[in-house]
Amino acid sequence: MTPPVPSSTLTWAQLRDLRCAELEGAADGWGKASNRADAGRDRIEKQLLNGLRETQRGAAADAAVGRLRQLSQNLQYVYTECGLVRTALNSLAHEMRAQQRALRDALDDAEALRFTVHADGSVTYPEAGEGLVDGKPLPGGTASVTASPGLLPPSGLVAPNPNAGKAQDIADRVTKAVRTAAEIDWRFAGILRDLKAEEGLKVPDRTWTDAAGDAAAVRDAARGYLKSGIPRDASPAARKAWWAGLTDEQREEYLAVYPDQIGNLDGIPALVRDTANRDNLQLLIGKLEGQDDADAETKLAGLREIDRQLKEGRQPPMFLLGIGDEGNGRAIVSYGNPDTARNVSAYVPGLNTSLDEDFARNDLKRARDTAKGANKYDHSSAAIVWLGYDAPQSVDGLDSLDVMGDERAERGGDAFNQFMGGISATNENEDQHLTAIGHSYGSRTVGAATQQGGGIPGVDDIILVGSPGVGVDRAEDLGVGKGHVFVGAAENDVVTKLPSKNQGIAGAVGWAAAGPAGAYLMGDIADPGDDDLWFGRDPASEAFGARRFPVGEGPRLVSGSGVSIDAHSQYFDPQRDAVSADSIALITAGRADKVKIEGSR
């Protein structure tokens, strides 16, 4: 239920004389404060902290780093809150101007008709028309303010003065403009009252929880002022052009109020997305801090680990290209700038991947290892981990069969295409080289992406590792030419030996009962040596026609230590499988001609 709006003493004369330019001038002042805070934070992050890390060691240096990080976080909070105040004031001016226009139009109509508009909004009109009996002009009168503007009382059998309806319409329009303006004033007064910080120099987690609420309130209030302008349905190239066409002030407002929208909008430059998502990361942490459930705690752990790594200043430099808490969580991280690097790879993870601490540690490491490996062969290389979809989760019961369906891959493939279209649009190199990497169920997602809308935008090479099939039976069906499809399949990786759908219920029952290990054992018994997997032809088979690079065998499924599926997770690791990691690095660096190729299964 919408809370009642308190009665207001606002008059139409006050609305008419309101100086919206003064509100916008105040907004500019808050914008300047926000920009100064942002500049200070940027100097701390890019100059002071890097300088300390490179030149100083010891307890004193560590303490200084801690204080600088606290100051940086404080300045980030100042930047966010001042930006919200600016947009709240600009949005207030924007909405008030609309009501001023409506009022002005009504007053102009009254003046043209020689009506008189009184202070209370009633309108006096002169005599006009002809009486039904004597033909004389009907007397004038006053149209009063009604409780429900736009609803006229019945006139009965008496012919009305033609001015009466016109006057009532003007009175209703004046009243509506004033009442709407009063509601706007009341709504924004509450928002602005809440945009205040607690006293002190520290910005604890609960402050970011409040900031998340502040941002949500301003976003809702500014939906007509800013949000409606975001080109969500446009192509990545059109979004890039939209952003380039904004003024600096407009960009600043979008970043301050809609970091979640701008940071996750494919086609926006990487530096801008990184800036927006780092701010949204703090708001998400604050938002989830205010919730008390297992899902929020899981995502919080992942967000905090990503935040920790971002603040470490790792090399290659990290760019946060996407972050969100919808579904199982979203996170897109690039090691190296994907706009300036000639070679860009994007890795799609699979089964059991979600925004949690394991993803933030292990899946991010895979992208980082790929970037470091690729940079050995070409310094203009960046590697991305893309968690932009809800990967299937293996849980107890029938829900674990999600991994055996195509629906999540199809939805994920569409989102991945949008993302890669954005990367292709913002990359500054004429000879850009893009690689899509699918691991586990992620390879099925990459396969689905190749079948939508003409293939994955800009992609030259495709790498499939630990794949249960990709949804097509031939490498040439992936749209990049079979000579540009590369496959890694460890001998002991059970996922690369899942039974085909034609092998009946055995594989499904095995998976539901014991995960990949159970599916492998059941399928191997049902049809040993078959080259069909659950999602189609085995990508490592001769019939599929891809180029298979050598990988380590990996730990056996069953050994004296028990059951292990670790062979499924070491393709990217230069310590556990140097040959596989190096092959991936060569391909992503555009040096696929140097990759050793081994025979198919």
Side-chain angles (χ1 to χ4, degrees), residues 487-489 548-552 577-581 583 595-598:
V487 174
R548 185 184 181 194
F549 55 87
V551 301
D577 196 336
V579 174
S580 176
S583 296
V595 175
K596 295 180 180 179
I597 302 299
E598 67 176 8

Side-chain angles (χ1 to χ4, degrees), residues 210-228:
D210 291 340
D214 294 341
V218 175
R219 287 170 190 166
D220 182 63
R223 58 188 179 273
Y225 170 59
L226 285 179
K227 188 176 182 181
S228 59

